[in-house]
Amino acid sequence: MPHDQILRDAQLTKAELTGGDLEVFSPVDGALIGKVATHSPADVEAMISDAKRAFETWREVPAPRRGELIRLFGEELRAAKDALGALVTLECGKILQEGLGEVQEMIDICDLAVGQSRQLYGLTIASERPGHAMRETWHPMGVAGVITAFNFPVAPFAWNFCLAIVCGDPVIWKPSEKTPLCALATAKIFERAVKRFGDAPEGLLHVAIGHAEIGEVLTASGDVPIISATGSTRMGRAVAPVVAGRFGRTILELGGNNAMIVAPSADLDNAVRAIVFSAVGTCGQRCTSLRRLIVHEDIRADLVQRLKTAYASLPIGDPLADGTLVGPLIDADAFEMMQKALDTAKADGAKITGGARSEVAEGGYYVEPAIAEMPSQTDIVRRETFAPILYVMGYTDLGEAIAMQNDVPQGLSSCIFSTDVRETERFLSAAGSDCGIANVNIGPSGAEIGGAFGGEKETGGGRESGSDAWKAYMRRQTATVNYSRDLPLAQGIKFDI
C-alpha cells in the first residue's frame, strides 16, 4: 500500500504533514512521511489551563454519561480500524496484523471503560459508633498527563485515556516524537466522537508534540495531578522524582526483561510457537518481548534446534505486505544497540545464531532475529535491549530456574511451560515469579484488556487497563455521617464539656 494512501486514509491533511519542524521517518524504508509542527512549553501550559477548565465541567457530568462519549469513540475506532492500523505499521514498523491488533486493543478498552463508567464503586463500611454511617467514594482527580512510547503508539494511550475520561479527568497526551502521526490521527477520531456526543466541554484531549522538554512541563506542573508514563527505565527515573517532589501521582510502565521457563514436561510444539511470537513480534520491540529462555538441560538441545529451524524460515520484510512476520527496527540507533549487545554477549562466551542486517529495503533497518546461547546469565542478559535477541540458558532444578528468572532489575512479565501442576503452582506462588504478569503455557506478551497491566521493580509498579486500574485516575474519600442526636466518639473516647 503506498505511503500517501495510508496518510490520506488516516485523514491527515497536507497542512499537518508539511511545514513543521519535526521530521517523521517511516522505519519501513526510511522515507520522510511528514514534517509535523511541535509545541512550545508555553503551548503546553496553555493546554494545561484549558484542560483544567474542562475538568471543572466534566467532573460533574454523571459517569455513565461520560461513558457514552467513550462508547462513541469505540464506534469511530471500529470504522477507522483499517486506516489507523495501517498508519501504526507505517510509522512504527510493526507488521500490519499487529497494527490492526493494536487498534483492536483500543476498541476493547473502550468497551471495558463504558462498562466501568457504571461501576465506579465504593464501599459501605460498618461504623463502631451508633447512629453513624461510613462509606468510601471515588471522585475525579484532575488533569492526567499521558506520555507514550513509539513501539505501541496508540494502545497504551487508550488504556489511560478511556479510563481517565470515564473517571472525569481530561488528558494531555505527549506521544513519542517518533510516532506523532498516529496521535494526530487518533485525536481526529476522538473529535468525531465528541461531535456526535454534542455537549462535551472543549479541552478533554490535547496532543502535545515535541521532545523531552514537553514531557518535562507536564511532569513539573502542579496542575497535572496524574502522570502516566510508558517508556524506558531511564525515562522513569527522570519522571518519578519530579512528580513525587510535588506529591503528584505516577503510573509508570517501564522496562521489561521477560523470561520463559521450559520444563521437561512442556508441550514443545506450543512452546516453540509461543517463543517465536514473543521473541520476534514487533521485531523484539515490546516491553513484554521474550528476552530470556531458561530451559531444562534435558530438553535444551532439542528445543534450541527447533528454534533455529523456525527462525531460519521467518519471513522478514515489508510489514505492510501479506505474509511478513518480522518487520524493521525503528531506526539506526536501535540497530546499533542490538549489535553492541550481541558483541558483548559474544565476548561473554555466547554462541550467536542470526543477528545480521537483512537488506530488505534500502533505508530500513531489517535484521535477522538472534539466538544467543549463553554460558550463564551475564550482565548483558540482565539489561533490556530493545531488539529481537533471545538469550538461552539452562537449568536442572526449578528453584534454580525461578531464581534466575527473578535475578534481573525488571519485573514485568514471565511465564512457564509445564504440564506438571506442582511446577506451575509453585511458579505462581509467593515464592515463584516476582513479576506483575505470570503466565502458564502461554508466552509473556499479548496481555488481555481485562487484567491489570504492569510490573514491579524497575518496571515501575504502575497498573493500567483492567481490574481496578481505574482507581489510579480518581481520589478516594472516606465519609462518615452522624444521623443520630448524640455525638459518640470513636475508640470510646470520653470528652464531655
Side-chain angles (χ1 to χ4, degrees), residues 411-422:
L412 179 52
S413 191
S414 60
C415 59
I416 186 171
F417 266 75
S418 172
T419 55
D420 184 334
V421 69
R422 292 168 298 186

Side-chain angles (χ1 to χ4, degrees), residues 47 139 144 213 274 353 377 390 406 419 422 426 438 440 447:
M47 292 178 188
H139 298 293
E213 68 273 9
T353 303
Q377 186 160 273
L390 181 64
N406 293 344
T419 55
R422 292 168 298 186
R426 181 179 177 187
V440 173

Side-chain angles (χ1 to χ4, degrees), residues 46-242:
M47 292 178 188
I48 294 171
S49 296
D50 193 41
K52 282 184 63 181
R53 287 190 293 271
F55 174 67
E56 292 174 1
T57 301
W58 194 241
R59 65 184 174 183
E60 296 195 56
V61 174
R65 176 63 179 159
R66 299 194 296 251
E68 172 63 10
L69 176 55
I70 295 303
R71 188 189 70 80
L72 295 172
F73 183 40
E75 285 190 354
E76 294 297 335
L77 284 168
R78 284 177 169 87
K81 179 178 177 179
D82 289 346
L84 185 56
L87 182 62
V88 168
T89 293
L90 177 66
E91 195 172 28
C92 87
K94 62 178 61 176
I95 64 172
L96 183 57
Q97 280 297 306
E98 292 186 88
L100 295 171
E102 186 169 347
V103 182
Q104 187 61 49
E105 282 193 57
M106 302 175 77
I107 294 167
D108 292 346
I109 194 63
C110 284
D111 290 348
L112 184 144
V114 172
Q116 193 70 70
S117 71
R118 295 180 181 270
Q119 288 287 302
L120 300 177
Y121 51 85
L123 298 172
T124 299
I125 305 167
S127 173
E128 67 184 64
R129 290 170 282 186
H132 284 59
M134 187 160 55
R135 59 180 178 261
E136 174 187 279
T137 53
W138 294 84
H139 298 293
M141 191 168 177
V143 180
V146 177
I147 300 170
T148 57
F150 78 85
N151 60 320
F152 276 80
V154 290
F157 155 75
W159 299 348
N160 287 275
F161 175 71
C162 294
L163 290 178
I165 290 295
V166 301
C167 288
D169 304 331
V171 168
I172 300 173
W173 178 16
K174 193 276 180 198
S176 168
E177 60 271 23
K178 296 180 182 180
T179 53
L181 301 184
C182 287
L184 293 175
T186 299
K188 284 175 173 286
I189 295 168
F190 180 65
E191 286 171 9
R192 296 198 286 271
V194 169
K195 185 175 181 180
R196 292 173 60 192
F197 185 78
D199 59 350
E202 293 184 5
L204 289 180
L205 173 62
H206 287 282
V207 176
I209 295 175
H211 296 277
E213 68 273 9
I214 299 302
E216 289 168 1
V217 175
L218 288 175
T219 57
S221 176
D223 291 325
V224 184
I226 306 165
I227 293 291
S228 173
T230 302
S232 67
T233 298
R234 177 187 56 78
M235 181 271 288
R237 285 199 175 99
V239 168
V242 174

Side-chain angles (χ1 to χ4, degrees), residues 316 335 338-339 342 352-359 365-370:
I316 303 169
F335 175 74
M338 178 180 179
Q339 299 310 306
L342 289 174
I352 308 293
T353 303
R357 188 170 180 182
S358 181
E359 297 296 338
Y365 286 86
Y366 295 81
V367 293
E368 299 170 356

